[in-house]
Amino acid sequence: MNLADLTQQIKTIDTYRRFGKITRVVGLLIESKGPASSIGDVCIITIKKNNKKIKAEVVGFRDENILLMPYTDVTQIAPGSLVETTGKPLQIKVSEKLIGHVCDSLGHPLDGFEIPNGFDQVQTSQSPPDPLTRPRITEKLELGVKSIDALLTVGKGQRVGIFAGSGVGKSTLMGMIARNTSADLNVIALIGERGREVREFLEKDLGKEGMARSIVVVATSDQPALKRIKGAMTATAIAEYFRSQGKNVLMMMDSLTRVAMAQREIGLAVGEPPTTKGYPPSVFALLPQLLERTGTDQNGSITAFYTVLVDGDDLDEPISDTARGILDGHIVLDRALAQKGQYPAVNLLKSVSRVMSGIVDQDHRMVANRFRSLLAKYVDSEDLIQIGAYKAGTSKEIDDAVKHYPSILQFLKQDEKKSISQQESISQLIHQFGEGGINGV
């Protein structure tokens, strides 16, 4: 930056400090008379008793008062506490030196790492790239999970949902992908997790190998709703920062459902009407704004995986249905398959990659379709086969499905500690289920 730029910045600096006073606190909301500010601006609340500073964000207005929501608890806030506006939205510091570390939703390291000078500042809330500047997805991304690489091939810049109930193996699958992917780095957001599960994920599922190439953003379930939403925004902003440098970033968020629940808390607190199953309209406005920020741009790509908690394994509940309509594919983890000992418990027949047909060659696509067709035929006839009502020779397709079902089942299984390259997975698929393994494709 030259002297002329510095001089211009000095001339445009606003030297005024604007204050207001808290008049009321109701539930999650703090109401303040002033200061003049805009939606999304960060304000600093000063506690009279001990001069402690608390950050809060402007989330709305009521008459001429502003409505604030804090990033921390509000136990010491009292009537008349001073509120000062910063005049700008939340910003975080990012650099390559952050790789290998864990931070909170405001970008502050949680593992004792001290951010040195020289880090770049980025806003957590940004607009998605212009759709006409987004390159098409043309390259495959290796994930190291055989069933996904071979049968649900993911492209660089694709956005995929992982749909599952609790305890079906989402965290384990995320750990496998983070350790084995060919992406340049991982950005992992743990939103609304139990405090116990954070360290368990870092040490057990991610491990030293995965952590060495990852940035993890944590916002646990006990934190205020706004802080959980900011966790999702912060992780996305970090991924965008590295994408702008031309890197291929793999981003994973666990879970998108808890982000929606946090927005529901905020929406109901500011007076929005509950609509679909108690979710206010702002939830369905937030999801596309957040999800569209990932993907490709003219510099690099963000390949994103968002886990979606499926209540009672209902894939048609509002958040699941909305996310499925925005994303470029979905992977369904099935509790029934997990109970049978299939890990990862990917239900291939309910899962789809919307870009796979455009990034794989014809041989691979034909064999994958044949694999899916055989599995579907077996599942459709499984009841008859299990009770012995089906007679061999009645249908050639069912005979083929029965013959190859053990191989199909074996192909879909993978030990969580075993890494298999994408090329090896595809070669194995074609060798076992191509013309040599199955009569015709």
Side-chain angles (χ1 to χ4, degrees):
M1 186 177 290
N2 56 38
L3 184 60
D5 292 335
L6 287 172
T7 304
Q8 184 60 33
Q9 282 197 6
I10 291 171
K11 287 180 179 179
T12 57
I13 288 176
D14 186 358
T15 56
Y16 287 96
R17 297 176 67 184
R18 294 172 174 81
F19 292 91
K21 283 189 176 182
I22 289 175
T23 58
R24 186 167 64 163
V25 176
V26 179
L28 303 174
L29 279 182
I30 300 169
E31 195 167 325
S32 169
K33 186 75 173 177
S37 50
S38 305
I39 295 287
D41 283 356
V42 174
C43 293
I44 308 297
I45 300 172
T46 303
I47 305 298
K48 288 182 178 180
K49 188 184 298 184
N50 53 15
N51 214 33
K52 181 182 176 183
K53 308 289 185 182
I54 291 177
K55 284 186 177 181
E57 185 173 305
V58 179
V59 295
F61 302 95
R62 180 173 292 148
D63 298 327
E64 294 187 6
N65 291 350
I66 66 170
L67 302 178
L68 300 159
M69 194 160 282
Y71 293 131
T72 55
D73 64 85
V74 296
T75 51
Q76 294 179 316
I77 293 176
S81 296
L82 283 180
V83 181
E84 181 182 3
T85 180
T86 63
K88 55 188 178 183
L90 181 67
Q91 295 183 327
I92 57 169
K93 294 182 178 180
V94 191
S95 163
E96 288 196 4
K97 293 179 181 177
L98 201 58
I99 298 173
H101 295 285
V102 183
C103 62
D104 67 10
S105 53
L106 305 184
H108 303 141
L110 295 173
D111 53 4
F113 173 69
E114 293 186 7
I115 295 179
N117 294 329
F119 274 41
D120 296 319
Q121 284 205 334
V122 297
Q123 287 189 9
T124 58
S125 298
Q126 300 186 42
S127 300
D130 188 311
L132 294 182
T133 65
R134 289 181 182 266
R136 291 180 58 198
I137 298 172
T138 56
E139 296 181 55
K140 294 180 285 189
L141 180 70
E142 182 175 326
L143 301 177
V145 180
K146 185 167 58 172
S147 56
I148 299 176
D149 278 341
L151 299 163
L152 297 165
T153 311
V154 172
K156 292 179 180 177
Q158 186 175 352
R159 302 158 307 150
V160 183
I162 299 176
F163 294 75
S166 56
V168 187
K170 295 186 303 297
S171 297
T172 303
L173 179 60
M174 286 173 58
M176 288 176 69
I177 293 172
R179 293 192 305 270
N180 302 329
T181 181
S182 61
D184 296 323
L185 76 152
N186 307 312
V187 178
I188 303 171
L190 303 178
I191 310 299
E193 287 286 333
R194 304 174 186 89
R196 173 189 64 80
E197 291 181 331
V198 173
R199 190 161 184 175
E200 184 176 314
F201 175 79
L202 296 177
E203 295 180 359
K204 177 178 172 289
D205 297 319
L206 193 56
K208 290 183 179 179
E209 181 185 353
M211 192 64 222
R213 54 195 302 230
S214 302
I215 299 171
V216 181
V217 179
V218 175
T220 51
S221 58
D222 60 297
Q223 295 177 345
L226 185 61
K227 202 167 184 180
R228 280 175 269 148
I229 290 178
K230 286 301 171 185
M233 298 291 187
T234 295
T236 306
I238 292 171
E240 289 171 326
Y241 171 83
F242 288 104
R243 178 179 64 184
S244 68
Q245 297 182 342
K247 295 186 183 296
N248 294 311
V249 184
L250 177 68
M251 181 179 142
M252 290 184 281
M253 188 178 294
D254 184 16
S255 72
L256 188 65
T257 305
R258 292 189 179 116
V259 175
M261 288 178 174
Q263 181 60 37
R264 178 171 64 181
E265 289 181 40
I266 294 173
L268 295 176
V270 298
E272 282 190 78
T275 52
T276 310
K277 288 198 175 180
Y279 288 100
S282 62
V283 172
F284 303 102
L286 172 70
L287 292 179
Q289 290 171 6
L290 178 64
L291 301 181
E292 286 293 340
R293 288 172 61 181
T294 54
T296 59
D297 73 358
Q298 62 269 38
N299 300 310
S301 68
I302 303 173
T303 308
F305 286 84
Y306 300 92
T307 69
V308 180
L309 293 170
V310 184
D311 293 334
D313 296 323
D314 177 16
L315 292 172
D316 295 320
E317 60 94 24
I319 301 304
S320 302
D321 203 37
T322 303
R324 197 163 53 240
I326 300 169
L327 297 171
D328 307 317
H330 51 273
I331 297 169
V332 177
L333 301 184
D334 195 316
R335 190 179 305 279
L337 296 178
Q339 290 169 348
K340 292 178 182 178
Q342 178 184 317
Y343 291 102
V346 175
N347 188 324
L348 182 65
L349 301 180
K350 291 183 179 179
S351 306
V352 67
S353 170
R354 293 182 180 173
V355 305
M356 179 177 174
S357 60
I359 59 175
V360 301
D361 58 46
Q362 186 176 3
D363 289 344
H364 179 186
R365 184 168 59 251
M366 290 175 66
V367 177
N369 288 341
R370 180 62 173 166
F371 184 103
R372 188 183 289 263
S373 175
L374 283 167
L375 179 58
K377 182 60 69 175
Y378 182 88
V379 170
D380 288 344
S381 310
E382 187 171 17
D383 289 342
L384 293 175
I385 295 167
Q386 294 295 338
I387 65 173
Y390 173 73
K391 287 187 176 182
T394 305
S395 167
K396 185 179 183 302
E397 288 184 341
I398 297 178
D399 290 344
D400 279 345
V402 172
K403 177 183 176 183
H404 294 284
Y405 184 68
S407 299
I408 290 172
L409 201 58
Q410 190 60 40
F411 186 86
L412 294 173
K413 292 181 179 180
Q414 181 178 337
D415 185 86
E416 64 177 283
K417 299 299 181 183
K418 186 176 181 181
S419 174
I420 301 174
S421 71
Q422 187 174 60
Q423 188 55 50
E424 185 182 348
S425 299
I426 295 170
S427 298
Q428 188 177 334
L429 175 73
I430 294 174
H431 175 73
Q432 289 187 357
F433 302 98
E435 292 187 359
I438 292 176
N439 299 322
V441 291

